[in-house]
Amino acid sequence: MQSTTTEHRPGRAIALKLGAVFLFSVMAALIKIATATVPAAQAVFYRSFFAFPMIILWLWQSGDLRDGLKPSNLMGHVWRGVFGTTAMALTFAGLSLLPLPEVTAIGYATPLFTVIFAAIFLGEQVRVFRLSAVAIGLIGVLIVLYPRFTVDGDSVSQLAMMGAIMVVAASIMRALVQIHVRRLVQTDSTAAIVFYFSLTATCLSFFTLPAGMVINWEPLWWVNPGWQVSALLILSGMIGGVSQIMITASYRYGPVSMLAPFDYASMIFAVLIGWVLFSEIPTPAILIGAGLVIAGGAAIIWRERQLGLDRSKSKASSTPQGTPS
C-alpha cells in the first residue's frame, strides 16, 4: 500500500478544495437541468453509479481498495448510506424546484445542525459562543426561507415552498451523516467510508425502480431520459466522483480547519452558474440570509480550530518531559 502520510502544502490543498467545490457546483447545475425530466431518485442512481467506478479506480491506484473492503462497523456504514442517500435525493428534488443560489444558501445550515446533533447524540459540550453562532446562522436560514412561506398559494409557489422544505431536510440529513462519520472514523478507514457510501447509495437508489412500480408513486417512477439528459446525468456522476477524490486529496496537504471556510466559495460559483445557465439572480433575502449563515458557520469553524489548538496544547503539557509526544 502506498503511504498515506500528509505533507503541509497549503497552496495545493486550497487549489484542490476550490476545484472540488467548483465541480460540485457544476454537478448541481447538471442535476438541476436533468431533474426537469427525471425524478430525483433516478438522478441519485446515475450520480452514484457513475461515480462508483472512478472511486474504485482511485482506491485501487492509491493502494487503499483492500482497506475499503474491510468494514469494522457494517451497520454504521448502512446508516451513513441511508442518511447520505436521502440527503442527496432531497437536494436533487429541491434543485428541480428552486434557484441554485437558494439551494446553496440553505445547504449552509448543515454545520449548524451538526453542532446541535453533536450535543444531543455525542454528548459534546456546546457553550455560549457556538450556541450564538448557531442562532445567527439559523436566523439567516429563516430569512432565506421567509419569502417561500409568505407568497400567494398558487401551485408554483407551493412547489417552491416544498422545495425549500426538502433542502432544509437534506441539511438535517447531512448533519446526521457527519455525526455518523465522526463515529465511523474511530473504527474504519477513510477508504472504507468512501467505498461503502458509494456502494450503498448506488444500491438504495436503484431499488427505487422496482419500488416505484410496486408502490405506484409518481416521484419514484423512472423515465426514459433520452440520450442528451442521460449524458448530463452520466457526466454529473463522473464529476461527483472526481470532486469527492479531490476533496479527500486536499486533506493530505492541509488541515480541515484551514480548508473548511473554502466551502463557502460555492455561493460565488452558484450565483455565477445560476446567472449564466438559468438567468437566476439571487434576491436580497437570499444574499442577506446566506451572509448570516456563512457568518455563523465561519464562527463555528473558527471555534473548532481554537478548541483543537487548546486540546493540542493540553496534550503537549501533559506529556512527561523527555517523552516523545
Side-chain angles (χ1 to χ4, degrees):
M1 182 181 295
Q2 294 182 10
S3 174
T4 58
T5 56
T6 61
E7 54 181 303
H8 187 63
R9 302 185 65 175
R12 177 175 293 187
I14 292 170
L16 285 167
K17 184 64 180 285
L18 283 175
V21 170
F22 172 72
L23 288 179
F24 271 128
S25 298
V26 172
M27 183 201 76
L30 296 177
I31 293 294
K32 182 174 177 61
I33 296 171
T35 49
T37 303
V38 303
Q42 186 175 356
V44 171
F45 173 77
Y46 276 84
R47 157 67 179 89
S48 304
F49 180 79
F50 287 98
F52 194 42
M54 303 188 70
I55 290 171
I56 292 176
L57 181 63
W58 168 62
L59 292 175
W60 173 77
Q61 187 275 332
S62 63
D64 292 332
L65 185 57
R66 180 176 297 179
D67 287 342
L69 294 174
K70 294 179 179 179
S72 299
N73 183 1
L74 185 58
M75 284 308 300
H77 288 287
V78 170
W79 283 113
R80 185 260 191 269
V82 169
F83 290 138
T85 305
T86 303
M88 195 187 302
L90 289 169
T91 300
F92 289 1
L95 280 168
S96 69
L97 301 171
L98 295 175
L100 182 58
E102 186 171 351
V103 173
T104 303
I106 298 173
Y108 289 152
T110 295
L112 309 178
F113 291 124
T114 302
V115 171
I116 296 172
F117 291 151
I120 295 173
F121 298 117
L122 301 180
E124 293 186 5
Q125 286 190 337
V126 181
R127 302 189 185 279
V128 174
F129 184 90
R130 282 194 288 176
L131 284 176
S132 301
V134 169
I136 291 171
L138 291 179
I139 290 171
V141 173
L142 291 175
I143 291 174
V144 176
L145 294 176
Y146 181 75
R148 296 300 179 190
F149 292 88
T150 57
V151 294
D152 296 332
D154 60 89
S155 59
V156 175
S157 299
Q158 290 177 348
L159 287 174
M161 181 176 67
M162 186 181 301
I165 293 172
M166 288 178 176
V167 179
V168 172
S171 297
I172 294 172
M173 287 291 147
R174 279 196 298 272
L176 289 172
V177 166
Q178 292 190 9
I179 295 301
H180 274 273
V181 169
R182 288 189 187 185
R183 289 174 170 172
L184 279 173
V185 294
Q186 298 174 11
T187 58
D188 290 71
S189 66
T190 300
I193 294 171
V194 170
F195 177 86
Y196 279 97
F197 173 65
S198 300
L199 178 61
T200 53
T202 299
C203 294
L204 288 173
S205 57
F206 178 75
F207 288 150
T208 62
L209 174 59
M213 293 186 290
V214 172
I215 300 173
N216 197 28
W217 186 38
E218 187 174 354
L220 294 179
W221 292 349
W222 285 33
V223 301
N224 181 4
W227 73 267
Q228 291 178 317
V229 175
S230 293
L232 292 178
L233 289 168
I234 293 170
L235 184 59
S236 73
M238 296 174 68
I239 289 175
V242 171
S243 302
Q244 194 169 350
I245 291 169
M246 290 176 68
I247 282 183
T248 304
S250 71
Y251 294 127
R252 293 190 178 219
Y253 300 105
V256 174
S257 58
M258 180 190 76
L259 294 173
F262 291 96
D263 284 322
Y264 296 118
S266 59
M267 177 53 76
I268 299 173
F269 299 140
V271 168
L272 291 174
I273 294 172
W275 177 55
V276 171
L277 294 183
F278 309 109
S279 299
E280 296 171 346
I281 299 177
T283 64
I286 292 176
L287 294 176
I288 294 171
L292 288 174
V293 178
I294 290 172
I300 290 171
I301 292 169
W302 178 84
R303 184 56 178 163
E304 291 289 345
R305 176 177 173 81
Q306 294 302 115
L307 290 173
L309 291 174
D310 291 343
R311 284 191 290 267
S312 297
K313 290 179 181 177
S314 176
K315 182 178 179 181
S317 64
S318 64
T319 303
Q321 192 169 8
T323 302
S325 58

